[in-house]
Amino acid sequence: MTIAQHDGIVTKSANGTVTINIKSHSACASCEAHGKCGFAESKDKEISIRTSDWQNYQTGDHVVVGINKGLGLKAAAIAYILPGVIMVVLFAVLNNFLNDLWSAAATIGFVALYWCVLALFGKRLQRQFTFQLKKGEQ
């Protein structure tokens, strides 16, 4: 199991959740998942990880956050690839029956609906994507 890892700093630890600020670094450029990983897109990301040992983490602790690279690719497929492919196909099909404006409007409506459905099932999807969390070196 190949794991993508990122260093971070705990910003909050309460109620079963540890919130971590992750800074991207130059090592991201050589990572296989660079183009699909949300961490590589900007300098700072904040994520919340549910864990049973949240009391062991204090604000300011250095930690290492890891995720199976296969799960990262699955997340990219659900969030970007699948709706992108469906959007192109939907526009092409609708464009045979409607003019460009209505085809584009319906396609944009589909994307909005898709993201709403993802938001509704967000908790269920989050359970599939588990992060590993361990204390790092300062």
Side-chain angles (χ1 to χ4, degrees):
M1 173 167 71
T2 307
I3 294 180
Q5 294 184 333
H6 294 278
D7 295 323
I9 297 174
V10 175
T11 57
K12 182 180 171 187
S13 179
N15 302 325
T17 302
V18 179
T19 304
I20 301 155
N21 185 342
I22 295 179
K23 295 185 184 292
S24 290
H25 44 76
S26 60
C28 290
S30 63
C31 177
E32 292 175 23
H34 170 72
K36 292 143 190 86
C37 177
F39 295 128
E41 295 171 5
S42 70
K43 303 222 183 294
D44 288 341
K45 292 275 185 178
E46 190 167 272
I47 61 168
S48 295
I49 299 175
R50 297 202 51 78
T51 181
S52 59
D53 65 342
W54 62 273
Q55 292 110 339
N56 296 333
Y57 298 94
Q58 305 298 321
T59 300
D61 284 351
H62 289 262
V63 294
V64 177
V65 179
I67 188 169
N68 181 316
K69 285 185 183 177
L71 290 177
L73 295 175
K74 181 178 178 181
I78 291 170
Y80 303 112
I81 298 168
L82 181 62
V85 168
I86 294 173
M87 191 171 70
V88 169
V89 170
L90 182 64
F91 180 79
V93 169
L94 289 177
N95 209 26
N96 288 326
F97 302 105
L98 306 170
N99 65 28
D100 289 344
L101 178 65
W102 287 107
S103 298
T107 302
I108 291 169
F110 160 77
V111 172
L113 179 65
Y114 184 86
W115 281 95
C116 288
V117 169
L118 277 183
L120 287 173
F121 290 100
K123 295 279 188 200
R124 184 176 289 171
L125 285 170
Q126 278 182 342
R127 282 186 239 131
Q128 292 180 20
F129 299 100
T130 56
F131 290 92
Q132 292 85 36
L133 182 62
K134 65 181 180 179
K135 288 212 177 191
E137 299 174 13
Q138 288 186 331

